[in-house]
Amino acid sequence: MQRWPAEAIWQAVEPLLPAFSVEILPEIDSTNTELMRRIRAGRAEPTLLVAERQTAGRGRLGRQWQADAGASLTFSLSLPLAPQDWSGLSLAVGVSVADSLHSAIKIKWPNDLWLDDRKLAGILIETASIEGQRHAVIGVGINITPRAGDGMSTPPASLQELLPEIGAAETLERIAAPLVKAVLAFERSGFEAFRAAFARRDLLKGRPLVTSDGTNGMGQGVDETGALLLATGAEVRKISSAEVSVRPVGGSFDTTASTAPRPQGS
Ligand code: BTN
């Protein structure tokens, strides 16, 4: 097992999140799945769970998230959360992670970090409720070392393209405490607190886009809730639904999601 900065992260975060713990596992099916299981079983203390290897990593829309051990950073953060409005949480998380890493990283609405028009990282946010309290599980997977495209139409980017010496442990150390602070700021102030920072990293703004229902338009940023604004000839549409996907015209990738997490718990 590599050396992880668990103690340093705990020292920085515990004053903000009482009962917080950091856990590093050599292997698990999925850090998101495990934290969702724990919450549903009543073990809902705030936790940062890192896995050196996931055997069933999950992405959005039932997709898999595959990464070789050592080639990526995979972790999930669970915490009780009660924002007035959950809209835009994935964008706030993206802003925080990007700000902790590099100015060249863009955010592809609603859940991805991109570098030079290639995917660098994915965010998967789920929620579960227990005893009337809703908990968020925020999963992040970041490609650290370069890897082959694995049949993907667009081969992924890696963080070492920007920061050649960086490893998974150092990446986590940079990200973790700022991410907790960002999520707590989101709980207090909502997406508005992140809107300007998101705009600086918006990959889709000013690009011709097409949605899954065949609408063409120009990306015009996001509104105050984090909904994507798509200017068609006749109107400006707001896209926040999980049912609509959007991709740049001529691009090979798609996105389908909402900027607010989907409740999964009972
Ligand atoms: C996506 O791109 O669709 C989201 C990918 C999220 C992957 C991370 S890796 C850590 C956490 N555990 C999972 O099973 N998924 C998330």
Side-chain angles (χ1 to χ4, degrees):
M1 202 190 267
Q2 59 176 306
R3 286 182 68 83
W4 291 94
E7 178 69 21
I9 293 170
W10 183 82
Q11 295 271 1
V13 171
E14 200 273 343
L16 308 169
L17 271 185
F20 173 72
S21 68
V22 182
E23 208 175 314
I24 318 287
L25 297 176
E27 184 175 294
I28 190 96
D29 51 356
S30 151
T31 53
N32 262 51
T33 304
E34 170 64 9
L35 290 182
M36 291 291 282
R37 268 195 301 259
R38 290 186 189 180
I39 293 165
R40 288 173 178 145
R43 295 162 57 204
E45 302 77 26
T47 303
L48 180 74
L49 181 64
V50 182
E52 295 191 331
R53 180 166 177 270
Q54 295 187 123
T55 56
R58 296 188 288 113
R60 288 175 292 113
L61 311 169
R63 294 181 183 138
Q64 296 178 335
W65 175 270
Q66 287 178 328
D68 296 331
S72 70
L73 170 64
T74 51
F75 71 91
S76 301
L77 169 72
S78 70
L79 74 173
L81 211 60
Q84 266 193 350
D85 182 356
W86 289 77
S87 306
L89 177 57
S90 66
L91 304 182
V93 169
V95 164
S96 173
V97 173
D99 282 356
S100 296
L101 294 175
H102 202 282
S103 57
I105 296 172
K106 300 281 187 199
I107 303 171
K108 178 170 168 287
W109 184 95
N111 288 66
D112 292 342
L113 300 186
W114 283 64
L115 173 64
D116 295 338
D117 265 6
R118 292 167 298 134
K119 182 161 173 168
L120 172 71
I123 296 162
L124 175 67
I125 304 180
E126 299 172 300
T127 66
S129 296
I130 186 150
E131 291 170 1
Q133 169 73 63
R134 205 159 161 197
H135 297 257
V137 174
I138 299 167
V140 179
I142 304 176
N143 303 320
I144 304 293
T145 62
R147 70 181 171 115
D150 300 335
M152 285 183 240
S153 49
T154 309
S158 71
L159 191 57
Q160 287 186 349
E161 294 172 40
L162 290 171
L163 304 165
E165 303 298 324
I166 204 160
E170 190 190 340
T171 305
L172 181 72
E173 187 162 13
R174 285 195 188 203
I175 290 173
L179 176 59
V180 172
K181 288 179 189 153
V183 174
L184 295 176
F186 179 89
E187 183 179 44
R188 286 191 305 272
S189 310
F191 175 64
E192 190 54 40
F194 298 86
R195 195 175 175 187
F198 173 79
R200 289 192 287 274
R201 295 184 183 272
D202 186 352
L203 182 79
L204 300 183
K205 187 170 184 182
R207 291 178 75 154
L209 307 175
V210 61
T211 68
S212 54
D213 63 7
T215 307
N216 282 273
M218 189 67 77
Q220 292 217 320
V222 300
D223 73 1
E224 68 281 358
T225 69
L228 182 72
L229 297 174
L230 182 69
T232 67
E235 58 176 352
V236 177
R237 281 200 194 177
K238 293 187 179 188
I239 300 178
S240 55
S241 157
E243 275 68 54
V244 180
S245 65
V246 58
R247 64 177 170 82
V249 173
S252 55
F253 52 92
D254 67 9
T255 121
T256 307
S258 135
T259 62
R262 294 182 207 178
Q264 298 217 340
S266 54

